Amino acid sequence: MSGRKILSLVICVLIAAVFFVLPTPHGLEDNAWHFLGLFIAVILAVIFAIMPLGAICLIAITIVAITGITTPQSTLRQTQIKTLTALVGKVDIDKMELKKQILDAKILALKNALSDLKIEINSQNEGENLLKELSALHLKNTTKTANSKLLDGSEISVLNSIALNKFSQKEIDKKVKAAEWKLKAKTGINDALSGFSNALIWLIVISIIVAKGIIKTGLGERLAYYFISIFGKKTLGIAYSITLSETILAPVTPSNTARAGAIINPIVQAISKSFKSTPEDGTQNKIGTYLSLVNFQANPISSAMFITATAPNPLVVDLVAKATNLDISISWIQWALGMFVPGILAMMIMPLVIYFLSPPQIKSTPNARAFAKEKLAELGAMKRDEKIMFGVFLFLLILWAGTFGFLFGITLNATTIAFLGLSVVLVTGVLSFDEILAQKAAWNTLVWFSALVMMATMLGKLEVTIFLASNLQQLALNLGLGEISIMLFLSVAFLYSHYFFASTTAHISAMFFVFYSAGLALGAPPLLYAFIMITAGNVMMGITHYATGTAPVIFGTNYVSLKKWWGIGFVMSVVNMVVMILVGLVWWKVLGFY
């Protein structure tokens, strides 16, 4: 490990440690605050690229499993109460007397807490009714967490004092600690591995494997050259061939890096070199710079159009569902319908904007069509495996679009459909099982995606996201924002905070739920706001040369300078957001999203 990475690791460990030293903010349990520190450290480790993403996430899974840090403190207190109650059962005490002592202790604790809050108590109630009244009054002035902690603590104190009549404090502590660690061990491993059962993660993993068939058979390459052979008479026509290829490949190529980097980028470079446009000769501006920029900027737009177009999209679906208590669960077809019109219009405008910002010196390219036809001739007629892959491609699109449900009333889960497509590819021999096992990108995605989904989910379980969202909500209120301006403010802030992230997945894992929850708390229409955030979450992939996996691949060809990359990236982020949101507001109204 290099000196820079060691320093980055030390920084991450220190940041996590700080959360164990600093006092827990009001409204959070201790372990929730500590877990937030762990989460931030993991995200920073991903950003600093201390180790491969999968390795970092495996370590995070291990830490969660060993420490049981995700075990809610309320559950631990109930375990303490259960253990102490069992010990008290061995003490000679009347059950009614025990119940009365616990009740009195809770009432006294609430009275003291309300007194500290300068609240006078004028109640004629007694017993359980008084407890309910005081508890309700306490909840109006504090959090549910603080109320639960106060009441449980009172009961634990009473039970512990009674148990001391028969056992030493050391014996009591040993019993309680053993019960706590047994619970943490069970909760820790269950929570740590919970992400692996997420169907959306498997949808992406299977889609990545199926996409290997598109690359292996040459189907993706054929599609790109085919469009260039039709539209490639002008440089602008080649650009639109790239955008069309991106759009068609997007639904079944969840690795946006594979789509733009492995399939289309080599074609762009081949075309550029055929026109003697290379960075080595200083002739990149002839055509190569323009086509490289179009290739890159088409990628975030196509990624926004389908759930299966980039790996973080299913995570967004999962987070939206959790934030709305499962009231909103965006389906594959709903996403595709919602984003298709805004995406298509943005895709149509983008090459023209870049044409203005970075005009190619070569405007007419009659040789490009001939070049593409030569490449198609080299590929020859569609072979058996390629035809099968094309059939699977169409088959998946038809089923994901819900055609079976419409025609036959049969509903299939999107992940089930992906498994079905993979099975066809296996049975027909287009891909062998050894080739599937060799898909490191897919299995790596399964590991890191499961870990990040798990950690994002645990932030919700421990109510950290509610805490962060309430603070963000207060900021928006202090700024005096209205319903529409709140959505725009939060989505734009979310988008441009991506300058600090080198991973779209890390950014969405860390911040999407917080920003989305804050908007909901301030009255944003849930489905409308979800699609605005979806737009921002994909547009942000085009702003820097490290914003997504595709960026370093294309930037590394040296066709685009850093200054031009960042400048055009910023302009396109503004153009894409304006076009997609304005068009979206009309289109989403037509679809009844708000």
Side-chain angles (χ1 to χ4, degrees), residues 273-296:
K273 289 174 183 176
S274 74
F275 283 95
K276 296 181 172 51
S277 176
T278 65
E280 292 79 13
D281 297 336
T283 55
Q284 64 269 23
N285 289 329
K286 279 186 175 181
I287 193 172
T289 298
Y290 173 71
L291 293 182
S292 294
L293 284 168
V294 170
N295 181 21
F296 178 61

Tab-separated table of all heavy atoms in Angstrom, residues 273-296:
chain	number	residue	atom	x	y	z
A	273	LYS	N	-9.480	7.913	-35.840
A	273	LYS	CA	-8.190	7.612	-36.471
A	273	LYS	C	-8.322	7.458	-37.978
A	273	LYS	O	-7.383	7.769	-38.733
A	273	LYS	CB	-7.599	6.350	-35.844
A	273	LYS	CG	-7.104	6.579	-34.417
A	273	LYS	CD	-6.659	5.298	-33.746
A	273	LYS	CE	-6.232	5.569	-32.295
A	273	LYS	NZ	-5.888	4.330	-31.579
A	274	SER	N	-9.493	6.995	-38.441
A	274	SER	CA	-9.698	6.865	-39.889
A	274	SER	C	-9.714	8.235	-40.567
A	274	SER	O	-9.437	8.338	-41.768
A	274	SER	CB	-11.005	6.117	-40.170
A	274	SER	OG	-12.134	6.938	-39.904
A	275	PHE	N	-10.019	9.287	-39.788
A	275	PHE	CA	-9.983	10.656	-40.306
A	275	PHE	C	-8.698	11.375	-39.891
A	275	PHE	O	-8.611	12.597	-39.966
A	275	PHE	CB	-11.208	11.441	-39.803
A	275	PHE	CG	-12.473	11.104	-40.529
A	275	PHE	CD1	-13.340	10.155	-40.022
A	275	PHE	CD2	-12.784	11.727	-41.739
A	275	PHE	CE1	-14.510	9.839	-40.685
A	275	PHE	CE2	-13.945	11.411	-42.408
A	275	PHE	CZ	-14.818	10.461	-41.889
A	276	LYS	N	-7.706	10.560	-39.459
A	276	LYS	CA	-6.399	11.096	-39.032
A	276	LYS	C	-6.552	12.172	-37.953
A	276	LYS	O	-5.930	13.230	-38.007
A	276	LYS	CB	-5.625	11.632	-40.244
A	276	LYS	CG	-5.262	10.553	-41.243
A	276	LYS	CD	-4.476	11.118	-42.406
A	276	LYS	CE	-3.938	10.001	-43.296
A	276	LYS	NZ	-4.940	9.024	-43.724
A	277	SER	N	-7.392	11.875	-36.973
A	277	SER	CA	-7.615	12.761	-35.826
A	277	SER	C	-7.148	12.030	-34.574
A	277	SER	O	-7.862	11.165	-34.043
A	277	SER	CB	-9.101	13.125	-35.712
A	277	SER	OG	-9.337	13.902	-34.565
A	278	THR	N	-5.933	12.358	-34.121
A	278	THR	CA	-5.364	11.692	-32.950
A	278	THR	C	-4.695	12.711	-32.029
A	278	THR	O	-4.139	13.710	-32.498
A	278	THR	CB	-4.310	10.643	-33.358
A	278	THR	OG1	-3.205	11.312	-33.977
A	278	THR	CG2	-4.887	9.617	-34.315
A	279	PRO	N	-4.713	12.465	-30.721
A	279	PRO	CA	-4.042	13.385	-29.781
A	279	PRO	C	-2.522	13.354	-29.948
A	279	PRO	O	-1.840	14.336	-29.670
A	279	PRO	CB	-4.470	12.866	-28.413
A	279	PRO	CG	-4.913	11.466	-28.635
A	279	PRO	CD	-5.448	11.408	-30.022
A	280	GLU	N	-1.994	12.208	-30.406
A	280	GLU	CA	-0.550	12.094	-30.593
A	280	GLU	C	-0.042	13.083	-31.646
A	280	GLU	O	1.053	13.640	-31.530
A	280	GLU	CB	-0.173	10.663	-31.014
A	280	GLU	CG	-0.371	9.614	-29.945
A	280	GLU	CD	-1.831	9.171	-29.802
A	280	GLU	OE1	-2.642	9.501	-30.698
A	280	GLU	OE2	-2.153	8.523	-28.797
A	281	ASP	N	-0.865	13.323	-32.679
A	281	ASP	CA	-0.489	14.241	-33.762
A	281	ASP	C	-0.998	15.660	-33.518
A	281	ASP	O	-0.798	16.541	-34.365
A	281	ASP	CB	-1.045	13.731	-35.093
A	281	ASP	CG	-0.464	12.383	-35.485
A	281	ASP	OD1	0.648	12.071	-35.010
A	281	ASP	OD2	-1.127	11.634	-36.227
A	282	GLY	N	-1.698	15.870	-32.397
A	282	GLY	CA	-2.267	17.185	-32.129
A	282	GLY	C	-3.448	17.513	-33.026
A	282	GLY	O	-3.809	18.679	-33.192
A	283	THR	N	-4.055	16.483	-33.605
A	283	THR	CA	-5.174	16.691	-34.539
A	283	THR	C	-6.502	16.218	-33.948
A	283	THR	O	-7.449	15.935	-34.677
A	283	THR	CB	-4.909	15.929	-35.861
A	283	THR	OG1	-4.658	14.552	-35.548
A	283	THR	CG2	-3.704	16.511	-36.588
A	284	GLN	N	-6.556	16.112	-32.624
A	284	GLN	CA	-7.756	15.574	-31.978
A	284	GLN	C	-9.005	16.405	-32.238
A	284	GLN	O	-10.131	15.890	-32.224
A	284	GLN	CB	-7.541	15.432	-30.465
A	284	GLN	CG	-7.304	16.723	-29.713
A	284	GLN	CD	-5.840	17.079	-29.621
A	284	GLN	OE1	-5.028	16.640	-30.441
A	284	GLN	NE2	-5.495	17.881	-28.622
A	285	ASN	N	-8.815	17.713	-32.485
A	285	ASN	CA	-9.979	18.585	-32.687
A	285	ASN	C	-10.653	18.405	-34.046
A	285	ASN	O	-11.729	18.941	-34.274
A	285	ASN	CB	-9.579	20.052	-32.512
A	285	ASN	CG	-9.277	20.390	-31.056
A	285	ASN	OD1	-9.858	19.796	-30.153
A	285	ASN	ND2	-8.363	21.308	-30.826
A	286	LYS	N	-10.007	17.659	-34.933
A	286	LYS	CA	-10.625	17.433	-36.243
A	286	LYS	C	-12.018	16.820	-36.072
A	286	LYS	O	-12.999	17.285	-36.620
A	286	LYS	CB	-9.741	16.503	-37.089
A	286	LYS	CG	-8.580	17.182	-37.775
A	286	LYS	CD	-7.883	16.188	-38.702
A	286	LYS	CE	-6.788	16.854	-39.498
A	286	LYS	NZ	-6.119	15.887	-40.412
A	287	ILE	N	-12.069	15.738	-35.280
A	287	ILE	CA	-13.356	15.056	-35.065
A	287	ILE	C	-13.368	14.265	-33.752
A	287	ILE	O	-14.418	14.069	-33.129
A	287	ILE	CB	-13.674	14.115	-36.261
A	287	ILE	CG1	-15.142	13.644	-36.206
A	287	ILE	CG2	-12.719	12.932	-36.309
A	287	ILE	CD1	-15.572	12.875	-37.451
A	288	GLY	N	-12.174	13.838	-33.306
A	288	GLY	CA	-12.079	12.959	-32.137
A	288	GLY	C	-12.580	13.569	-30.855
A	288	GLY	O	-13.277	12.911	-30.066
A	289	THR	N	-12.233	14.843	-30.610
A	289	THR	CA	-12.669	15.507	-29.378
A	289	THR	C	-14.187	15.569	-29.313
A	289	THR	O	-14.798	15.245	-28.280
A	289	THR	CB	-12.085	16.936	-29.305
A	289	THR	OG1	-10.667	16.846	-29.272
A	289	THR	CG2	-12.585	17.652	-28.054
A	290	TYR	N	-14.792	15.979	-30.399
A	290	TYR	CA	-16.263	16.113	-30.430
A	290	TYR	C	-16.944	14.769	-30.194
A	290	TYR	O	-17.847	14.660	-29.359
A	290	TYR	CB	-16.698	16.698	-31.775
A	290	TYR	CG	-18.198	16.711	-31.960
A	290	TYR	CD1	-19.004	17.583	-31.232
A	290	TYR	CD2	-18.824	15.824	-32.840
A	290	TYR	CE1	-20.380	17.585	-31.382
A	290	TYR	CE2	-20.196	15.824	-33.000
A	290	TYR	CZ	-20.972	16.702	-32.267
A	290	TYR	OH	-22.343	16.701	-32.403
A	291	LEU	N	-16.498	13.734	-30.901
A	291	LEU	CA	-17.152	12.422	-30.770
A	291	LEU	C	-16.933	11.833	-29.373
A	291	LEU	O	-17.825	11.183	-28.828
A	291	LEU	CB	-16.627	11.465	-31.845
A	291	LEU	CG	-16.980	11.805	-33.298
A	291	LEU	CD1	-16.433	10.736	-34.239
A	291	LEU	CD2	-18.492	11.946	-33.483
A	292	SER	N	-15.756	12.080	-28.788
A	292	SER	CA	-15.491	11.582	-27.432
A	292	SER	C	-16.399	12.250	-26.409
A	292	SER	O	-16.916	11.601	-25.498
A	292	SER	CB	-14.022	11.830	-27.060
A	292	SER	OG	-13.163	11.058	-27.870
A	293	LEU	N	-16.600	13.553	-26.578
A	293	LEU	CA	-17.492	14.285	-25.670
A	293	LEU	C	-18.935	13.800	-25.810
A	293	LEU	O	-19.646	13.634	-24.818
A	293	LEU	CB	-17.408	15.788	-25.947
A	293	LEU	CG	-16.148	16.488	-25.419
A	293	LEU	CD1	-16.033	17.891	-26.003
A	293	LEU	CD2	-16.153	16.551	-23.891
A	294	VAL	N	-19.370	13.568	-27.031
A	294	VAL	CA	-20.732	13.061	-27.256
A	294	VAL	C	-20.869	11.665	-26.655
A	294	VAL	O	-21.878	11.351	-25.997
A	294	VAL	CB	-21.071	13.047	-28.762
A	294	VAL	CG1	-22.372	12.286	-29.013
A	294	VAL	CG2	-21.177	14.466	-29.306
A	295	ASN	N	-19.856	10.840	-26.874
A	295	ASN	CA	-19.873	9.486	-26.316
A	295	ASN	C	-20.039	9.534	-24.798
A	295	ASN	O	-20.860	8.808	-24.227
A	295	ASN	CB	-18.571	8.774	-26.683
A	295	ASN	CG	-18.501	7.354	-26.165
A	295	ASN	OD1	-19.510	6.723	-25.871
A	295	ASN	ND2	-17.291	6.836	-26.036
A	296	PHE	N	-19.280	10.418	-24.138
A	296	PHE	CA	-19.343	10.502	-22.682
A	296	PHE	C	-20.658	11.105	-22.199
A	296	PHE	O	-21.295	10.588	-21.278
A	296	PHE	CB	-18.173	11.325	-22.151
A	296	PHE	CG	-18.204	11.482	-20.662
A	296	PHE	CD1	-18.129	10.380	-19.824
A	296	PHE	CD2	-18.334	12.734	-20.073
A	296	PHE	CE1	-18.173	10.516	-18.442
A	296	PHE	CE2	-18.380	12.884	-18.692
A	296	PHE	CZ	-18.303	11.772	-17.881
